[in-house]
Amino acid sequence: MTQIGPGNDVAIGVDVGGTTMRAAIVGTSGDLRESFHQPSPRSPSALRDFVHLALESTKLPVRGIGIGCKGIIDAASTRVKSLPGDLHFLEGRLLSDVVGAGELSVCAENDARAALVAEALWGAARGRRNVVMLTLGTGVGGAALVDGRILCGASGAAGHFGHVTIDPRGGLCICGNYGCVETLFSSRAIESNYWAHLHRAAPAKLSLDSDGRPPDTEAIFRTAAEGDECARYVLDSALEHLAAAIVGYLHTFDPEVFILGGNIAAAGPQLFDPIRNKIAQRTRILLGREVPIVFQKVVGFGGVAGAAGLVFLREGLLKIG
Ligand SMILES: [Zn+2]
């Protein structure tokens, strides 16, 4: 990161997720001056009111509003091109209109890309120009920085790393494709695979809860560490698929660093050690070096900080690389 202009400039960063929306007043060092969160909006006016709450709480010079949002976002116009699910009411809308901030500039981008911007400006990708990031949670999201620019593609959909086929005979995915990374490594995939083992009465230490729900991914990692054969088998298989996918991304993008973020990445060495081992040997010939695979640094409010970073980049206050 290079800071071009000094001063007290701030931007409002907003992250609109499936369950929570967050906002913060963010300085050019990525520092959060004040932060806010509420359940995800159920109407455009709820989002507007939330953003104005943050906007009105500061007297510092606000350079703009940055919004990171699920779905496919046209950054040039701030239009939400595609957003299935609970936030569907934003589809087709210009986020700049929804927010209604008058003269203030509004930037918008997909939330995984905003998280990567945060890493590029203040985190694990600082000073780098070629970076790939995966977010591992209920699904698998991602974004890539290619020669210093966030990869968007012809229609803005580039970077759907969770929807690359790893097993051509694999299960049907939410996206309509088969055997995607997300069907093999995601909290949904890991939990449903553990459930399938329980259903077959395989030897397992965990069981369904009183409502019939399978154990969550965190519990499966924990019990694997304690020696549960079923959890170990499920995670070994999931990690094998994730590692295979990462090898493909490394060969495609040749990044300086590869970042893993999201809830599952918090599993730490249990996730990173086997993956690093599997990958190093398989990328030796083409890449000739070991690409660092690291945990995201800007956690928690990373999407918010990155959304504010979009404003700083547009205003020329910061630059990537
Ligand atoms: Zn898919």
Side-chain angles (χ1 to χ4, degrees), residues 48 51-52 55 64-65 95-106:
R48 187 187 59 232
V51 172
H52 282 260
L55 193 54
I65 297 168
L95 287 170
S96 54
D97 282 354
V98 170
V99 163
E103 297 289 292
L104 215 50
S105 85
V106 177

Side-chain angles (χ1 to χ4, degrees), residues 162-164 172-183:
H163 300 288
V164 171
L172 179 59
C173 181
I174 188 173
C175 73
N177 187 14
Y178 295 90
C180 290
V181 176
E182 189 169 299
T183 67

Side-chain angles (χ1 to χ4, degrees), residues 163-206:
H163 300 288
V164 171
T165 296
I166 292 295
D167 177 4
R169 304 294 299 239
L172 179 59
C173 181
I174 188 173
C175 73
N177 187 14
Y178 295 90
C180 290
V181 176
E182 189 169 299
T183 67
L184 296 156
F185 189 101
S186 62
S187 57
R188 279 201 184 120
I190 290 168
E191 287 159 21
S192 69
N193 195 5
Y194 198 92
W195 182 88
H197 281 74
L198 291 179
H199 196 55
R200 291 196 298 270
K205 286 190 175 166
L206 297 170

Side-chain angles (χ1 to χ4, degrees), residues 120-307:
L121 292 176
W122 305 296
R126 199 168 161 173
R128 314 290 194 179
R129 294 176 58 79
N130 287 281
V131 181
V132 179
M133 180 168 179
L134 283 190
T135 51
L136 306 171
T138 316
V140 175
L145 187 72
V146 177
D147 297 332
R149 297 175 69 93
I150 296 282
L151 183 71
C152 292
S155 62
H160 277 85
F161 295 121
H163 300 288
V164 171
T165 296
I166 292 295
D167 177 4
R169 304 294 299 239
L172 179 59
C173 181
I174 188 173
C175 73
N177 187 14
Y178 295 90
C180 290
V181 176
E182 189 169 299
T183 67
L184 296 156
F185 189 101
S186 62
S187 57
R188 279 201 184 120
I190 290 168
E191 287 159 21
S192 69
N193 195 5
Y194 198 92
W195 182 88
H197 281 74
L198 291 179
H199 196 55
R200 291 196 298 270
K205 286 190 175 166
L206 297 170
S207 53
L208 303 182
D209 70 10
S210 53
D211 294 323
R213 282 187 301 249
D216 66 20
T217 301
E218 203 184 326
I220 296 169
F221 267 95
R222 203 171 44 239
T223 194
E226 292 162 6
D228 176 20
E229 191 183 344
C230 180
R232 279 189 173 177
Y233 179 83
V234 166
L235 290 182
D236 278 354
S237 158
L239 286 165
E240 180 113 40
H241 288 111
L242 180 64
I246 293 176
V247 168
Y249 307 138
L250 293 178
H251 283 159
T252 308
F253 291 96
D254 185 16
E256 296 156 83
V257 62
F258 194 99
I259 304 174
L260 294 177
N263 296 347
I264 307 181
Q270 248 185 305
L271 173 76
F272 283 84
D273 291 352
I275 283 182
R276 286 177 181 135
N277 290 340
K278 288 178 202 296
I279 287 170
Q281 151 213 3
R282 293 196 226 169
T283 53
R284 192 171 34 92
I285 292 176
L286 274 185
L287 298 181
R289 67 185 204 285
E290 222 172 285
V291 178
I293 296 172
V294 301
F295 184 52
Q296 72 179 124
K297 266 196 183 154
V298 188
V299 288
F301 273 73
V304 169

Side-chain angles (χ1 to χ4, degrees), residues 77-93:
S77 67
T78 77
R79 186 178 299 281
V80 179
K81 291 175 76 172
S82 168
L83 182 47
D86 290 345
L87 298 167
H88 184 70
F89 61 88
L90 289 173
E91 209 169 76
R93 306 285 299 253

